[in-house]
Amino acid sequence: MDETMQPQRGLTSRAARVIPATPADIFKALTDPQSMTKWWGKTEKSSLVACDMDVRHGGEFRLGIRAANGTEDAVAGTYSELAPPHHLVFSWSSEKAADAVADSKVTIELYDLKDGSTRAVVTHQGLPAPHVAALYSAGWHDALQDLSLHFVGT
């Protein structure tokens, strides 16, 4: 069985939101470094201090994140599925050892609501413990809110 067929271990977190933008605009915001730095962190007042992305099958990314309190973390992963503008899958590992999040899997699905808005669903699989799943759930909800705020111009 190849890696894409392996069952994901650990806990799953899911976040969803209707965003006032097309799937293509959201996909670009998620995969373009210049776009990502404009919307990331609006809710939690965090910022991206590094945003390296090679958005292709097998390409890698690394995000350096500075929280409002000044602490920093970095996450990295590899893109495994891209079907613009509706589907994006990548691995996710935190460089913060306390998180114990390594080789988890993030799937982002963008459903066109045909009215200029999109239902975005983020599923994060392979989280190691309930408290980590809760933190990541909050984080993905904040990220979707950040995207929404970006597209309404605030």
Side-chain angles (χ1 to χ4, degrees), residues 33-48:
Q34 284 85 17
S35 296
M36 190 169 238
T37 58
K38 291 177 184 172
W39 64 264
W40 184 279
K42 287 181 178 278
T43 302
E44 286 297 315
K45 307 294 187 254
S46 64
S47 61
L48 288 179

Side-chain angles (χ1 to χ4, degrees), residues 2-151:
D2 72 17
E3 287 181 349
T4 60
M5 301 296 287
Q6 293 294 327
Q8 194 68 38
R9 298 193 193 301
L11 300 172
T12 298
S13 176
R14 183 169 286 124
R17 185 178 188 102
V18 173
I19 299 173
T22 65
D25 288 340
I26 296 168
F27 196 90
K28 180 181 180 191
L30 291 166
T31 58
D32 176 68
Q34 284 85 17
S35 296
M36 190 169 238
T37 58
K38 291 177 184 172
W39 64 264
W40 184 279
K42 287 181 178 278
T43 302
E44 286 297 315
K45 307 294 187 254
S46 64
S47 61
L48 288 179
V49 294
C51 185
D52 301 313
M53 306 170 88
D54 180 11
V55 185
R56 60 180 174 83
H57 187 272
E60 297 179 348
F61 71 90
R62 184 177 182 280
L63 306 176
I65 304 162
R66 180 176 297 131
N69 67 5
T71 61
E72 292 190 11
D73 188 16
V75 296
T78 302
Y79 296 101
S80 57
E81 296 177 35
L82 291 103
H86 299 286
H87 186 76
L88 182 63
V89 180
F90 47 89
S91 64
W92 180 281
S93 295
S94 173
E95 293 181 7
K96 189 186 299 182
D99 282 357
V101 176
D103 292 324
S104 59
K105 177 182 173 184
V106 176
T107 302
I108 301 176
E109 297 169 298
L110 303 172
Y111 301 98
D112 190 345
L113 298 179
K114 306 294 187 196
D115 64 358
S117 64
T118 301
R119 179 170 170 78
V121 180
V122 178
T123 305
H124 196 150
Q125 299 172 284
L127 298 168
H131 73 281
V132 175
L135 287 171
Y136 274 85
S137 176
W140 286 116
H141 279 91
D142 287 350
L144 293 177
Q145 180 170 310
D146 292 347
L147 274 167
S148 188
L149 291 170
H150 172 72
F151 285 111

